[in-house]
């Protein structure tokens, strides 16, 4: 089994609904997503996947949809105010936890045909969440 991983850094803001701690307030992170892809064999180039393919598709999507945006639950009461101000947002059906953002990135990459086995989202240098798509081989 072979694997490759690509790190993608991006900045985002969020807050958690129905949460008693500090993260109930609007705040930001310098996030790092690490996408791991595995394959039983290598392609004719001797690769699992060219790193630039991940960059061209997944990094571009993160840059366009998540980077320097507020990632919020669509039911967050601040959404209408931020919309009035023209602030860039990405709205989720779920609470924008590190776990759910990792899943969001994994789901997008899988939809694009990447055989993702794991996405880790480092919210801080000391805290990360991991999501493994169903049926994925362990990383």
């Amino acid at each position: 089994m072979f694997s490759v991983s690509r790190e993608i850094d991006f900045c985002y803001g969020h807050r958690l609904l129905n949460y008693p701690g500090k993260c109930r307030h609007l705040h930001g992170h310098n996030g790092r997503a690490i996408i791991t892809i595995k394959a039983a064999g290598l392609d004719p180039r001797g690769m699992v996947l060219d790193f630039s393919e991940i960059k061209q598709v997944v990094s571009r999507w993160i840059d366009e949809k998540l980077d320097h945006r507020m990632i919020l639950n669509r039911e967050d009461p601040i959404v209408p105010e931020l919309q009035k101000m023209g602030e860039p947002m990405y709205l989720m059906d779920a609470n924008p936890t590190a776990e759910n953002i990792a899943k969001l990135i994994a789901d997008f990459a899988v939809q694009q045909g990447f055989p993702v086995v794991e996405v880790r989202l480092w919210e801080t240098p000391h805290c990360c969440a991991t999501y493994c798509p169903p049926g994925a081989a362990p990383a």
Side-chain angles (χ1 to χ4, degrees), residues 12-16 25-27 29 70-72 96 101 123:
Y12 67 97
H14 72 155
R15 76 170 173 185
L16 303 181
H25 303 291
L26 295 171
H27 64 284
H29 294 284
M70 293 300 296
I71 304 173
L72 299 168
I101 295 170
E123 195 171 72

Side-chain angles (χ1 to χ4, degrees), residues 25-100:
H25 303 291
L26 295 171
H27 64 284
H29 294 284
N30 292 319
R32 171 171 285 166
I34 303 173
I35 300 166
T36 301
I37 296 170
K38 283 195 173 187
L42 302 177
D43 69 13
R45 303 170 294 184
M47 299 177 172
V48 170
L49 183 72
D50 189 333
F51 293 116
S52 67
E53 292 177 54
I54 303 168
K55 181 179 180 182
Q56 290 168 0
V57 176
V58 183
S59 290
R60 185 177 74 215
W61 181 80
I62 288 173
D63 285 347
E64 291 174 0
K65 302 295 184 185
L66 304 179
D67 188 43
H68 284 84
R69 293 179 182 272
M70 293 300 296
I71 304 173
L72 299 168
N73 180 293
R74 69 180 65 260
E75 300 299 322
D76 192 312
I78 196 71
V79 168
E81 293 304 315
L82 293 174
Q83 287 172 328
K84 284 181 201 173
M85 297 170 60
E87 289 294 324
M89 291 179 283
Y90 186 94
L91 302 180
M92 300 178 64
D93 291 328
N95 224 6
T97 61
E99 295 89 340
N100 283 326

Side-chain angles (χ1 to χ4, degrees), residues 16 18-25:
L16 303 181
N18 304 313
Y19 182 77
K22 293 190 298 185
C23 292
R24 72 181 180 272
H25 303 291

